[in-house]
Amino acid sequence: MLTTSEIGLIKATVPILREHGVLLTKHFYQRMFDHNPELKHIFNMGNQKNGTQQTALALAVLAYAENIENPSVLLPVLQRIGDKHTSLQISADQYDIVGRHLLASISEVLGEAATEELITAWAKAYGQLADIMINLEKSIYLQKAAVPGAWSGWRKFVIDRKVKESDEISSFYLRPQDGLEVALHQPGQYLSIKVYIPSLDLYQPRQYSISSAPDQHYYRISVKKEAGNQNKEEGTVSNHLHNVLQEGDVLEVSTPAGDFVLNTDQSSPLVLLSGGVGQTPFVSIMDFLSAADQQRQVRWAHACRSENVHAFRDQIKAWDEEHDWFKHIVFYENAAQEDKNIRSGRLDVAEITEMVLIPEADYYLCGPKPFIEKTILDLAALGVDRKKLFFEEFGPQTIHTN
Ligand SMILES: Cc1cc2nc3c(=O)[nH]c(=O)nc-3n(C[C@H](O)[C@H](O)[C@H](O)COP(=O)(O)OP(=O)(O)OC[C@H]3O[C@@H](n4cnc5c(N)ncnc54)[C@H](O)[C@@H]3O)c2cc1C
């Protein structure tokens, strides 16, 4: 238990964390990878390069310091972090390594301001958080192990089929190499995959939402090829999947994870709002609902640059024609032609209130960070209750709605 004076010391670091948190986390990751380079196989080095991981950790440390008297308010966020950690096979002993480098980094970055008392307080605070996470992750590992067909660790999957879905998105049908059953995922969940990248001489993990309905024989993921430009390098794993890996090749996969899932125990209407490749969990949800042919009302508004990058276009149109409980609309930045399902411009929920304002609906959002942030605000302005909003960020958690 932290003493009152230790809590005071932690709270006194809040302004510093708010201003210099990213400086601290950059230093921390650099230090940890210098001393423990084996962890580069576990961490997403792309998120290190583009800085999102450092930002996410800085926000998490700040949130923890701000809520040090009652860290249980952070449980929903910690649950998501725990889900990601378990899908990456993080073990309890790795918390010791992280803790050691984090405390050393606080000392090195704060210099003389890092008194012995402050470091002791942060050591206790970190220990408390590590205990919460280790216990949480232990229970997630146990829950996952109880699902029929689930597995622990990494399991080898063969790329059974590779299918082009649009100019930049391809699907990969993954079947377990051992030929045994796989766990039925909950529509909306993702897989962590691990591939060896020769140019880095590293294994690299990434998450991909499952884009197919639950099936005991295979999973499908649909991956956008992240192009580079003069300001950023091309994406490592997505380009490896698109350019190098072929049908018959093998990659490693951990059991399905994530809490951005369809609430199958309810019959409330659903409003799905997606941008770009953020459509993938909704393809799984729709594939599932379509096969079940239930009567739950579903409205799906999607935005992407153009028809050429709009994956699963024909499938979504077919669902629209087949089911009177399903309606969809898509926004292309410059649509060549508009009709009842196609609009030109950006997705703005205020322009399609007849489609999105449905009593009792649950709202699922997935897409680029600015899209999610704007849509959350726009829905709130339209009076939608934040408790009815669920979202998935395709990267480290940096959006906080409270
Ligand atoms: C829960 C979840 C579900 C996901 N589902 C999907 C999905 O269904 N489909 C999908 O395609 N993706 C999905 N993603 C995203 C996916 O995990 C990867 O992040 C994505 O494929 C990019 O990985 P990469 O290795 O190709 O790019 P990385 O190498 O990781 O690079 C990431 C980005 O950083 C940029 N970058 C690289 N170097 C720099 C630099 N020096 N400075 C600035 N920027 C730089 C790259 O151009 C790229 O845009 C999901 C992510 C999560 C967390």
Side-chain angles (χ1 to χ4, degrees), residues 44-47 49-50 84 190 206-209 222-224 226-228 231-239 277 280-281 392-396:
N44 176 329
M45 298 311 285
N47 290 336
K49 273 195 190 161
N50 64 30
K84 179 85 79 67
Y190 60 83
R206 294 291 184 271
Q207 287 70 43
Y208 291 103
S209 297
S222 304
V223 179
K224 178 186 168 199
E226 291 293 343
N231 301 318
K232 59 174 195 177
E233 293 160 37
E234 63 178 24
T236 307
V237 172
S238 61
N239 279 278
V277 75
T280 48
E392 181 88 288
E393 254 182 293
F394 275 5

Side-chain angles (χ1 to χ4, degrees), residues 258-269:
D259 64 354
F260 181 70
V261 295
L262 178 65
N263 46 5
T264 44
D265 55 338
Q266 288 172 40
S267 56
S268 46

Side-chain angles (χ1 to χ4, degrees), residues 79-289:
Q79 175 73 36
R80 283 199 148 191
I81 296 174
D83 266 329
K84 179 85 79 67
H85 281 180
T86 51
S87 87
L88 291 168
Q89 310 303 315
I90 297 296
S91 55
D93 55 311
Q94 287 164 335
Y95 278 92
D96 290 342
I97 304 177
V98 168
R100 187 160 15 99
H101 293 299
L102 191 60
L103 292 174
S105 298
I106 294 174
S107 221
E108 287 158 9
V109 171
L110 292 191
E112 284 177 8
T115 59
E116 208 181 315
E117 291 76 23
L118 182 74
I119 296 299
T120 306
W122 264 107
K124 276 175 86 173
Y126 176 79
Q128 178 180 287
L129 181 62
D131 283 348
I132 296 173
M133 291 309 296
I134 289 167
N135 286 324
L136 186 67
E137 287 165 18
K138 206 163 139 188
S139 75
I140 299 175
Y141 279 123
L142 286 173
Q143 277 166 28
K144 283 186 179 172
V147 178
W151 61 99
S152 62
W154 297 98
R155 182 172 171 190
K156 288 191 167 38
F157 277 67
V158 180
I159 300 174
D160 190 37
R161 283 170 63 209
K162 182 173 173 179
V163 178
K164 187 170 167 160
E165 308 284 6
S166 78
D167 278 3
E168 54 187 26
I169 297 177
S170 286
S171 285
F172 298 80
Y173 290 72
L174 307 175
R175 282 185 190 269
Q177 197 178 40
D178 57 25
L180 301 174
E181 284 185 357
V182 299
L184 292 179
H185 68 279
Q186 298 177 59
Q189 283 193 306
Y190 60 83
L191 296 176
S192 278
I193 68 158
K194 191 168 78 163
V195 290
Y196 177 70
I197 304 292
S199 58
L200 301 176
D201 190 19
L202 286 177
Y203 280 92
Q204 276 293 280
R206 294 291 184 271
Q207 287 70 43
Y208 291 103
S209 297
I210 301 166
S211 63
S212 48
D215 189 295
Q216 285 165 333
H217 303 103
Y218 77 101
Y219 300 113
R220 180 181 66 187
I221 56 170
S222 304
V223 179
K224 178 186 168 199
K225 188 177 190 303
E226 291 293 343
N229 58 33
Q230 65 267 44
N231 301 318
K232 59 174 195 177
E233 293 160 37
E234 63 178 24
T236 307
V237 172
S238 61
N239 279 278
H240 188 74
L241 284 162
H242 275 261
N243 303 337
V244 180
L245 294 185
Q246 302 301 338
E247 290 176 359
D249 285 337
V250 172
L251 42 82
E252 294 181 72
V253 179
S254 68
T255 210
D259 64 354
F260 181 70
V261 295
L262 178 65
N263 46 5
T264 44
D265 55 338
Q266 288 172 40
S267 56
S268 46
L270 292 172
V271 177
L272 312 176
L273 299 163
S274 55
V277 75
Q279 65 178 159
T280 48
F282 301 154
V283 176
S284 174
I285 286 175
M286 269 309 297
D287 206 6
F288 169 78
L289 291 174

